[in-house]
């Protein structure tokens, strides 16, 4: 079985999540100082809640470095960031074990295998008649804005694939392990100058050889040998959820919410999310009521000024589905009244006020948008706000080293998994 066929979300964890703890008392345990709460173990290595939470904040900061200084994470983003953070913390602890290392040759071979899979899809789309711009966007490729004149001999490894490709054709790939990239070309014309210099006019397309994804999938494969035990109900259910064990994820989260999670607003949001997915299989009014109840609880106990308007916006959407437009407007107004700095949410609220016929709050929202637009332009011009570009952040366990493109790739893979989850067996 090929390694990349192994589920991204570490299905193998499900067996150990509710299994034996080798005598360790996981419930509410702390480190030797009594300051850091232990939420699980990978073999003998402790997983600390503070490190997972720090990682979530760091992922938000890194996402801001990619999407811009005014990026505000959505509830959807924060949901996936939490999964990525616990997943990465588990892998980090597993790799701390003595003698645990990744074979470099295996990594390179697997990365090239993944690369070939992507290339095959790209060439298939070209053969179907897809254009350059469409291919670039679909497969997240890098390319120059215009075709380039490439002189023969300047980059010798390109010469063979360029000069064997007919005008109008797509070349074979040119793989550079040194650059960690694979290049291919859309050839338009060939010729030679009076001095004999040969050239090709072509669009250069390339993408990074997926070493980071190969590394992650190999780590997930290696984790089959690790004894992973998670005692935190939220993160335990989150891992079960992404392992397509939705019924147990739901039951585990219910237990957590009745006991230790009574004040965890994000856990109530998670429960609403699970039920919302179930609603796709069964259009049941009782499910809508459950979603509203959980979102309302999340709103009531949330003390994060940046997240509470997001939750109110979600709650309003469910109320509209139930035909409670007046109650939905109340939530939307409260969201806007307390909202600051999030221009995307402000625009979304403006659209909803207009749809629901609230002229007063439509005007208020549009006024806020104008003010935020001016503020953003002013701060960009003055350079008063910037993003920390460093890929390192200090935690109690040392430095985190993260690559933002790798993080976003992992988030996008998690989104794909959620779309494929089977909720039909959920009680």
């Amino acid at each position: 079985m090929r390694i990349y066929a192994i589920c991204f979300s570490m299905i193998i964890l499900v067996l150990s999540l509710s299994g034996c703890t080798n005598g360790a008392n996981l419930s509410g345990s702390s480190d030797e100082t009594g300051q850091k709460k232990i939420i699980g173990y990978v073999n003998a290595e402790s997983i600390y809640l503070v490190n997972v939470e720090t990682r979530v904040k760091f992922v938000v900061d890194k996402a801001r470095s990619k999407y811009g200084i005014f990026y505000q994470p959505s509830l959807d983003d924060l949901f996936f960031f939490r999964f990525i953070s616990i997943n990465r913390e588990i892998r980090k602890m597993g790799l701390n074990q003595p003698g645990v290392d990744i074979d470099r040759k295996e990594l390179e071979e697997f990365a090239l295998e993944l690369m070939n899979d992507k290339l095959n899809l790209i060439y298939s789309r070209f053969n179907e008649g897809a254009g350059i711009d469409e291919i670039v966007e679909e497969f997240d490729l890098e390319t120059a804005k215009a075709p380039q004149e490439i002189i023969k001999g300047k980059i010798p490894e390109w010469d063979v694939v360029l000069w064997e490709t007919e005008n109008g054709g797509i070349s074979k790939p040119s793989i550079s392990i040194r650059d960690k990239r694979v290049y291919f070309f859309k050839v338009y014309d060939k010729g030679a100058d009076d001095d004999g210099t040969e050239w090709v006019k072509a669009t250069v397309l390339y993408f990074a050889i997926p070493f980071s994804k190969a590394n992650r999938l190999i780590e997930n494969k290696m984790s089959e040998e690790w004894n992973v035990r998670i005692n935190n109900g939220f993160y335990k259910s989150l891992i079960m959820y992404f392992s397509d064990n939705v019924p147990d994820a739901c039951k585990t989260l219910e237990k957590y919410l009745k006991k230790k999670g009574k004040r965890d607003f994000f856990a109530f949001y998670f429960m609403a999310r699970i039920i919302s997915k179930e609603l796709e299989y069964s259009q049941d009014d009782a499910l809508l009521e459950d979603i509203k109840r959980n979102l309302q609880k999340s709103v009531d106990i949330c003390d994060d000024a940046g997240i509470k308007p997001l939750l109110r916006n979600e709650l309003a959407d469910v109320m509209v589905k139930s035909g409670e437009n007046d109650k939905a407007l109340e939530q939307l107004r409260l969201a806007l009244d307390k909202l600051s700095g999030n221009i995307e949410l402000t625009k979304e609220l403006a659209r909803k006020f207009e749809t629901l016929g609230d002229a007063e709050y439509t005007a208020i929202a549009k006024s806020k948008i104008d003010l935020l637009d001016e503020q953003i332009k002013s701060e960009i011009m003055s350079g008063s706000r910037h993003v920390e570009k460093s890929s390192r952040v200090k935690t109690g366990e040392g430095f985190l080293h993260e690559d933002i493109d790798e993080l976003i790739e992992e988030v996008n893979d998690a989104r794909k998994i959620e779309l494929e989850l089977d909720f039909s067996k959920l009680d």
Side-chain angles (χ1 to χ4, degrees):
M1 179 178 180
R2 299 168 75 182
I3 297 175
Y4 66 82
I6 296 163
C7 180
F8 161 82
S9 58
M10 296 196 292
I11 290 177
I12 48 85
L13 288 177
V14 178
L15 297 176
S16 57
L17 286 170
S18 56
C20 136
T21 65
N22 288 344
N25 177 18
L26 291 176
S27 180
S29 57
S30 301
D31 68 347
E32 62 277 6
T33 69
Q35 300 300 309
K36 293 194 295 185
K37 185 175 181 181
I38 298 171
I39 62 169
Y41 293 91
V42 179
N43 294 345
E45 293 284 341
S46 301
I47 301 172
Y48 297 108
L49 180 60
V50 65
N51 285 358
V52 179
E53 291 174 340
T54 298
R55 191 180 282 273
V56 172
K57 293 175 183 176
F58 182 61
V59 171
V60 171
D61 289 341
K62 291 304 293 179
R64 191 164 284 127
S65 74
K66 182 176 180 69
Y67 297 122
I69 58 177
F70 298 100
Y71 161 77
Q72 297 288 335
S74 65
L75 287 170
D76 192 59
D77 291 337
L78 291 171
F79 178 70
F80 289 105
F81 290 170
R82 277 164 169 75
F83 172 62
I84 296 308
S85 297
I86 185 64
N87 208 352
R88 285 185 166 228
E89 201 64 24
I90 288 169
R91 298 205 307 267
K92 186 182 85 171
M93 292 299 100
L95 293 169
N96 279 351
Q97 304 298 311
V100 176
D101 202 3
I102 293 175
D103 181 88
R104 295 296 100 186
K105 184 178 180 182
E106 179 188 6
L107 175 61
E108 182 175 312
E109 289 177 350
F110 184 38
L112 292 174
E113 192 176 347
L114 293 175
M115 176 201 73
N116 281 325
D117 289 341
K118 184 170 181 175
L119 279 172
N120 288 336
L121 290 172
I122 290 170
Y123 285 127
S124 293
R125 293 290 288 119
F126 272 124
N127 290 335
E128 292 169 2
I132 291 282
D133 292 342
E134 189 178 351
I135 296 289
V136 167
E137 182 176 357
E138 184 175 342
F139 294 97
D140 195 24
L141 304 180
E142 299 290 339
T143 186
K145 291 182 178 179
Q148 296 175 271
E149 187 175 273
I150 303 167
I151 305 299
K152 192 171 188 178
K154 287 286 186 180
I155 306 177
E157 57 265 35
W158 289 4
D159 290 351
V160 174
V161 299
L162 280 169
W163 266 267
E164 72 174 11
T165 305
E166 296 180 359
N167 290 350
I170 302 294
S171 76
K172 292 179 181 177
S174 175
I175 300 166
S176 174
I177 298 298
R178 181 192 65 240
D179 294 345
K180 296 184 178 179
R181 290 175 177 175
V182 56
Y183 300 88
F184 54 104
F185 309 87
K186 170 75 172 180
V187 175
Y188 298 101
D189 195 14
K190 299 176 193 171
D193 295 335
D194 292 340
D195 61 3
T197 301
E198 296 184 65
W199 51 264
V200 166
K201 185 179 181 182
T203 295
V204 183
L205 303 109
Y206 64 90
F207 62 88
I209 298 172
F211 283 102
S212 61
K213 183 170 185 176
N215 195 87
R216 167 162 50 92
L217 294 176
I218 289 173
E219 287 174 2
N220 284 349
K221 172 64 176 175
M222 292 167 62
S223 67
E224 291 181 5
E225 305 299 322
W226 303 339
N227 184 14
V228 180
R229 297 148 289 157
I230 305 295
N231 73 298
N232 177 280
F234 174 81
Y235 284 106
K236 184 175 180 177
S237 60
L238 189 62
I239 294 169
M240 287 175 169
Y241 177 86
F242 278 99
S243 299
D244 203 11
N245 187 359
V246 183
D248 282 346
C250 189
K251 291 173 186 174
T252 300
L253 191 59
E254 283 177 345
K255 290 179 183 177
Y256 173 70
L257 289 172
K258 289 176 181 177
K259 296 179 181 179
K260 295 184 179 180
K262 291 179 179 179
R263 302 300 301 171
D264 186 344
F265 75 86
F266 208 86
F268 282 99
Y269 165 73
F270 180 19
M271 180 59 75
R273 193 181 184 105
I274 290 177
I275 301 168
S276 295
K277 288 290 182 179
E278 186 182 359
L279 195 62
E280 296 174 8
Y281 287 84
S282 172
Q283 297 299 315
D284 186 343
D285 289 343
L287 293 177
L288 270 179
E289 291 304 313
D290 281 346
I291 296 168
K292 278 192 292 184
R293 179 177 54 80
N294 281 282
L295 284 176
Q296 185 66 66
K297 185 67 175 178
S298 184
V299 167
D300 292 343
I301 63 178
C302 178
D303 58 4
D304 188 308
I307 294 179
K308 196 159 188 166
L310 295 169
L311 290 168
R312 290 192 185 281
N313 182 46
E314 291 267 336
L315 178 56
D317 285 345
V318 181
M319 288 174 168
V320 168
K321 288 180 182 178
S322 297
E324 301 171 296
N325 288 5
D326 289 344
K327 289 184 178 180
L329 275 173
E330 181 182 353
Q331 292 299 324
L332 294 172
R333 289 166 186 157
L334 287 168
L336 185 65
D337 288 343
K338 300 295 183 181
L339 186 61
S340 65
N342 190 333
I343 192 168
E344 292 304 319
L345 180 56
T346 308
K347 289 177 179 178
E348 185 176 342
L349 293 175
R351 289 191 294 270
K352 290 178 180 178
F353 286 128
E354 195 161 17
T355 299
L356 293 171
D358 190 330
E360 178 188 358
Y361 266 79
T362 298
I364 293 171
K366 288 182 176 179
S367 177
K368 276 196 173 187
I369 292 168
D370 291 339
L371 289 173
L372 285 169
D373 272 332
E374 288 301 315
Q375 180 187 353
I376 289 170
K377 289 175 185 176
S378 174
E379 292 185 350
I380 289 175
M381 291 296 291
S382 68
S384 60
R385 293 182 64 173
H386 67 280
V387 175
E388 177 57 57
K389 295 293 185 181
S390 171
S391 64
R392 289 163 31 113
V393 64
K394 189 71 167 65
T395 73
E397 298 301 304
F399 283 102
L400 285 178
H401 299 263
E402 303 283 18
D403 177 87
I404 181 57
D405 291 326
E406 182 183 337
L407 283 167
I408 298 305
E409 178 184 58
E410 194 165 351
V411 167
N412 288 337
D413 283 350
R415 291 189 200 280
K416 292 173 187 174
I417 287 173
E418 192 192 27
L419 289 174
E420 296 169 357
L421 293 183
D422 183 4
F423 289 80
S424 59
K425 297 178 183 178
L426 189 60
D427 294 332

